[in-house]
Amino acid sequence: MNIVLLGAPGAGKGTQAQRLVDEFGVVHISTGDLLRAAVKAQSSLGIQAQSFMKTGALVPDELVIGLVKERLSAPDAAAGFILDGFPRNVAQAQALDAELETLGKSITDALLVDVKNDVIIERLSSRRTCRDCGYMTNAQAASERNNVCPKCSGELYQREDDKPQTIAHRLDVYQQQTFPLISYYEKRGLLVKVDGDRPVDEVYTTVKDRLGL
């Protein structure tokens, strides 16, 4: 199982990926998490990526590809993986195919979680994230806890890329640069599309059915 997750920011890709990981034991590789960790560590890649992430722009291909290539070479990715947040454009998809070929691997499915823009904006703008451990909840739950994380007692805050103006920009970027991936994988017979504007359990049932799991 070597899956690429497709869909706009906030479509629920990460939630579905985690369920697949829990049930089938594959590795969830989120480029968003990898990049945020690099920024927090102030690594060379993190410093370069930080300015792009603050404005909601896509991090340049060469930075992301280098990070993903390193992660895919790790031993725990040998049994299968789910890529979340990469590739984000056709050039990255082609580069990924080339890197996987050198590893003797290939993408088995491109899973598209499809959600309308107005639903995504509502979801993301109400999201709150722990500065320390990355735990996520909604604005109401965070307020009830005085913005204190229930897992590690860190601060729950609204990320810059979860603010309405930045979300709108991210969706514009997605439409312009990432949407063509759907056609790319569809032409290769790898696209699996599910309606993500439903309860999480319903979406996951459909995901497994469409993937033949």
Side-chain angles (χ1 to χ4, degrees), residues 172-198:
D172 285 343
V173 171
Y174 169 73
Q175 290 293 334
Q176 294 169 15
Q177 300 187 29
T178 311
F179 193 77
L181 277 174
I182 295 173
S183 177
Y184 176 81
Y185 285 113
E186 187 171 29
K187 288 177 180 177
R188 297 182 57 196
L190 298 176
L191 186 68
V192 175
K193 182 178 179 180
V194 299
D195 177 9
D197 189 11
R198 295 176 295 156

Side-chain angles (χ1 to χ4, degrees), residues 9-11 114-126 167 171 195-198:
D114 193 32
V115 180
K116 296 177 181 177
N117 283 4
D118 57 345
V119 175
I120 288 173
I121 292 174
E122 182 179 354
R123 283 183 185 178
L124 291 185
S125 61
S126 67
I167 295 169
L171 291 174
D195 177 9
D197 189 11
R198 295 176 295 156

Side-chain angles (χ1 to χ4, degrees), residues 15-212:
T15 299
Q16 296 304 316
Q18 189 57 53
R19 292 202 168 196
L20 290 170
V21 168
D22 292 342
E23 184 168 354
F24 298 99
V26 293
V27 175
H28 178 203
I29 302 175
S30 168
T31 52
D33 291 344
L34 292 177
L35 285 166
R36 281 188 287 274
V39 168
K40 186 175 181 179
Q42 286 296 283
S43 65
S44 175
L45 173 62
I47 292 172
Q48 295 177 67
Q50 189 170 21
S51 61
F52 295 96
M53 294 170 67
K54 279 186 175 180
T55 62
L58 293 179
V59 177
D61 287 359
E62 60 270 20
L63 299 182
V64 181
I65 290 170
L67 184 64
V68 171
K69 180 180 179 180
E70 181 178 68
R71 185 66 184 86
L72 286 175
S73 299
D76 63 350
F81 58 82
I82 300 173
L83 278 171
D84 181 0
F86 182 91
R88 290 191 173 185
N89 55 52
V90 173
Q92 288 184 351
Q94 293 170 336
L96 174 63
D97 289 340
E99 293 297 340
L100 287 174
E101 186 175 359
T102 66
L103 298 174
K105 301 180 180 181
S106 62
I107 297 300
T108 58
D109 298 280
L111 175 61
L112 170 62
V113 182
D114 193 32
V115 180
K116 296 177 181 177
N117 283 4
D118 57 345
V119 175
I120 288 173
I121 292 174
E122 182 179 354
R123 283 183 185 178
L124 291 185
S125 61
S126 67
R127 186 166 67 179
R128 298 296 181 269
T129 305
C130 177
R131 290 187 186 276
D132 296 331
C133 73
Y135 172 84
M136 292 184 183
T137 187
N138 57 52
Q140 181 178 347
S143 178
E144 290 173 354
R145 295 190 56 85
N146 295 317
N147 294 318
V148 175
C149 175
K151 292 186 66 176
C152 74
S153 298
E155 179 192 359
L156 294 171
Y157 77 113
Q158 184 179 42
R159 289 184 351 209
E160 286 295 323
D161 56 357
D162 283 342
K163 294 183 178 179
Q165 184 175 359
T166 305
I167 295 169
H169 176 67
R170 292 169 69 192
L171 291 174
D172 285 343
V173 171
Y174 169 73
Q175 290 293 334
Q176 294 169 15
Q177 300 187 29
T178 311
F179 193 77
L181 277 174
I182 295 173
S183 177
Y184 176 81
Y185 285 113
E186 187 171 29
K187 288 177 180 177
R188 297 182 57 196
L190 298 176
L191 186 68
V192 175
K193 182 178 179 180
V194 299
D195 177 9
D197 189 11
R198 295 176 295 156
V200 172
D201 289 345
E202 288 185 22
V203 175
Y204 185 57
T205 296
T206 303
V207 166
K208 290 200 297 180
D209 180 63
R210 296 296 307 279
L211 292 177

